Amino acid sequence: MSGGSGTIMNPVSILVAILQRDWAMMRRYIVNTVSSLVSIYIIFLFIFLGIKGLSSYAAIGALEGTLEGTVIGFFVWTFSVIAYSDLAWSLIVEAQAGTLEQLYLTPAGFKWVAGCTVISNLALNFVPVVLLLVVMMATTGQWLNLDFISLVPLLLITILGAYGFGFALGGLALVYKRLQAIFQVFQFVLIGFLVVPQRLPWAKFLPLSLGNSLIYDVMVDGVRLWELPTGSVLTALLVGAAYFAIGVVIFSVCENIAKDRGLLGHY
Amino acid sequence: MGAATTALDVKSLTKVFHERGNKSVKAVDSISFQVNQGEVLGLLGPNGAGKTTTIKCILGLMRPDTGEIRVFGENVEACYPRVLRNMSAVLEGSRNLYWRLTVWENILFFARLHGVTSREDKAHFENLIRLFSLEDKRNVEVRKLSQGMKQKTSIVCTLARRTPVVFLDEPTLGLDVETSLELRHVLKQLASEENRTIIVSSHNMDVIQDVCRRVIILSQGRIVADDHISDLVSLFKTKAYRIILLEPVPEGLEEALASRFKGATVTGDGRRTEVRVNLLENDDIYTLMDILRDRGAIIDEISNEETDLEKAFLEIVRRERNNHESS
């Protein structure tokens, strides 16, 4: 066996490996998956009952005091929380378990492994979260427009920023380790981004905010993707991409610090 | 016979860890060595000697402060991470695995990350499973395996990546004697049949002595010995003898031996006496016999104490520490 005869780097092979791993884990942790969805639903139920009980409820922003706003906001929030926390958590768990260094030995580079983890995580969570959305719609009696052709691209644009946070927090966790408490707090920060009213001029530059508003237009008003203002869609895309890029840069800086200090295998 | 190919070339590798309060620890101190293709090299050293840091710097998991590392001529820093197609490693044994996946799923996962996915590769995985006697555990989740089985699975996952250079950091940790012997056999087989370059770091001297021809000993981040095991052992070969007498300690024996042989010991249990003595000159054996005969000692047994790698290692590390402290 001689040098340089190694295999060709193949991102598809990495994606298949990670999808198979995550699917096998998901099947074995099915109780965990179901119970986390049930917990999210219970939180939603409390909010829904609270809104019903408060007739004077007239919150400003994406919720706009409507049940539709609450359902959509909750749907986007669930996706965003899964997006940022799965990546950041998986980095912590892998470092804790001892598998992170093995992933770093991938010849294509760890960034491919992280990228494929993001795709796998999105693919495997899509169906359960959409099912949760259907249950939420049934609970509220607000049947929203599920135009997936418009919805999926907008959802991807919107949660791009959340993935940026995932990379940033994951990178920080490589260096500073015990950040679990910040992860919990961050879930509520995301709610803040979703309820900021769009009429505020700077709101569109916040992560999730503009994308959530566009999703509202699609799901409530039945607007198709190509009927939305191009400027708004492009702004949402650029804002999402910018937060994603910032997250990746923070991750790279933290990764370099971790390698300098020899922290990759530590927890 | 053609010149051997250099698989690994490490030049002036230094790694310093900076701690709080401007303190710094030189974990690896300007070390250089080469490993040829197909060679099985042992990396020995006490805890904190810099073995794992050296391995992690070579693998790019830690960034060295200075030095150059080449794997089959490719500069690791310049060609990272592509250069990893030539390297794989067992770093923390069973902790390198997904405990919720089965043995087979783990093998497939890590091999796929290295792009090792062909039908022929899968036949190779099956062969490794057979070699490590894991056939019955193929579809069992790793968390349900014993520590030894987990360790073996971790080694199989590393070997399944089919890289020409393999690092094994403490591969026998948690293995019973029988499994450890099995592993030694497989490593020797892999080195000879597949021409793999294997670097084994271990505290288990038996494993190193059995599997490796050459050993590098690290102490306080520096290479203090780099030689063939046989040469190292012969370097520390002593004329140490153990003599058993069939009687209580003869009168005056202890004093007579002490005056002639430094460090000689005499111990007795009232019925038998054990004498341990280190002879320096060739004719010292005659002087020893004269002393014993003069006291009428009845000799039951004489044996020459053999030097092994462990003794050589301990002596090298002890000398290095003394030198370091005195300087």
Side-chain angles (χ1 to χ4, degrees), chain B residues 11-289:
Chain B
K11 278 187 192 141
S12 310
L13 178 70
T14 300
K15 177 70 191 167
V16 181
F17 290 114
H18 300 280
E19 295 176 345
R20 282 177 192 167
N22 280 336
K23 273 173 68 180
S24 58
V25 177
K26 219 174 223 183
V28 177
D29 189 359
S30 195
I31 64 168
S32 301
F33 62 92
Q34 287 189 334
V35 189
N36 287 333
Q37 188 179 355
E39 194 175 358
V40 185
L41 173 82
L43 213 51
L44 281 176
N47 289 333
K51 305 183 297 288
T52 302
T53 303
T54 301
I55 291 174
K56 288 190 177 180
C57 284
I58 296 168
L59 290 166
L61 298 172
M62 281 186 195
R63 185 162 294 123
D65 290 87
T66 57
E68 187 184 66
I69 302 158
R70 287 184 177 273
V71 177
F72 287 105
E74 282 184 316
N75 184 308
V76 169
E77 197 183 354
C79 302
Y80 202 82
R82 197 164 46 93
V83 69
L84 288 170
R85 71 194 190 284
N86 287 326
M87 297 190 277
S88 57
V90 170
L91 293 169
E92 294 188 62
S94 59
R95 288 189 71 239
N96 287 169
L97 302 167
Y98 290 99
W99 287 25
R100 286 272 172 178
L101 296 184
T102 64
V103 170
W104 184 247
E105 285 167 343
N106 267 289
I107 296 170
L108 283 186
F109 175 73
F110 288 112
R112 266 191 194 286
L113 290 187
H114 256 75
V116 179
T117 54
S118 71
R119 188 173 294 176
E120 187 224 331
D121 292 327
K122 283 183 185 158
H124 177 67
F125 306 159
E126 297 283 7
N127 187 41
L128 285 171
I129 283 186
R130 245 191 325 276
L131 273 174
F132 282 88
S133 314
L134 286 166
E135 299 101 314
D136 297 346
K137 308 292 176 191
R138 192 181 183 278
N139 297 315
V140 175
E141 280 179 54
V142 168
R143 69 189 171 96
K144 293 177 184 163
L145 300 178
S146 67
Q147 180 58 29
M149 292 276 188
K150 283 177 186 149
Q151 187 76 10
K152 286 204 283 187
T153 307
S154 179
I155 296 166
V156 169
C157 285
T158 295
L159 296 174
R161 283 171 245 195
R162 310 196 80 169
T163 57
V165 181
V166 178
F167 293 88
L168 303 172
D169 195 6
E170 292 293 353
T172 52
L173 212 65
L175 296 187
D176 56 35
V177 178
E178 195 188 345
T179 317
S180 175
L181 284 170
E182 236 175 63
L183 174 66
R184 294 183 213 178
H185 173 71
V186 174
L187 291 182
K188 284 192 274 190
Q189 197 177 330
L190 285 169
S192 64
E193 288 174 10
E194 298 189 10
N195 205 22
R196 295 220 209 184
T197 308
I198 302 175
I199 292 112
V200 189
S201 153
S202 178
H203 284 106
N204 189 331
M205 302 288 166
D206 291 342
V207 173
I208 299 283
Q209 194 156 10
D210 188 17
V211 172
C212 312
R213 272 190 67 212
R214 182 182 147 211
V215 68
I216 286 179
I217 300 179
L218 288 167
S219 178
Q220 296 174 90
R222 280 171 296 173
I223 293 180
V224 291
D226 178 355
D227 214 333
H228 285 118
I229 290 176
S230 53
D231 293 341
L232 273 182
V233 170
S234 64
L235 200 66
F236 291 92
K237 208 166 187 174
T238 58
K239 294 184 183 112
Y241 283 89
R242 177 174 168 270
I243 300 143
I244 303 292
L245 308 178
L246 276 179
E247 59 188 315
V249 180
E251 202 177 320
L253 179 66
E254 205 167 350
E255 293 77 18
L257 289 173
S259 64
R260 185 66 184 82
F261 305 108
K262 198 180 168 195
T265 60
V266 180
T267 50
D269 61 4
R271 286 190 306 115
R272 285 154 53 96
T273 301
E274 185 189 81
V275 175
R276 282 178 185 271
V277 63
N278 199 4
L279 309 180
L280 298 174
E281 306 297 333
N282 284 337
D283 56 357
D284 278 352
I285 187 81
Y286 301 111
T287 312
L288 173 66
M289 289 302 130

Side-chain angles (χ1 to χ4, degrees), chain A residues 16-74:
Chain A
V16 170
I18 289 174
L19 272 169
Q20 283 180 341
R21 176 198 67 182
D22 291 351
W23 174 238
M25 298 269 214
M26 198 177 188
R27 274 186 293 133
R28 282 183 200 132
Y29 280 108
I30 194 72
V31 177
N32 276 23
T33 312
V34 172
S35 64
S36 60
L37 287 172
V38 169
S39 325
I40 292 170
Y41 175 70
I42 290 170
I43 296 170
F44 172 77
L45 210 56
F46 278 120
I47 294 171
F48 168 61
L49 294 173
I51 291 171
K52 270 183 83 175
L54 290 167
S55 56
S56 62
Y57 182 85
I60 48 170
L63 296 181
E64 297 292 351
T66 65
L67 281 174
E68 294 101 317
T70 312
V71 173
I72 293 164
F74 213 83

Side-chain angles (χ1 to χ4, degrees), chain A residues 36-37 44-45 51 70 90 93 106 115 136 157 168 173-174 179 186 190 194 201 204-205 217 253:
Chain A
S36 60
L37 287 172
F44 172 77
L45 210 56
I51 291 171
T70 312
S90 74
V93 170
T106 305
M136 288 194 293
I157 288 171
L174 286 181
L179 291 178
F186 207 76
L190 290 182
L194 291 170
K204 58 177 173 286
F205 299 114
D217 293 342
V253 170

Side-chain angles (χ1 to χ4, degrees), chain A residues 8-9 35 44 52 56 59 76 101 120 125 148 181 195 222 267:
Chain A
I8 302 159
M9 287 167 283
S35 64
F44 172 77
K52 270 183 83 175
S56 62
V76 175
E101 286 185 320
S120 157
N125 280 304
F148 285 109
V195 297
Y267 198 84

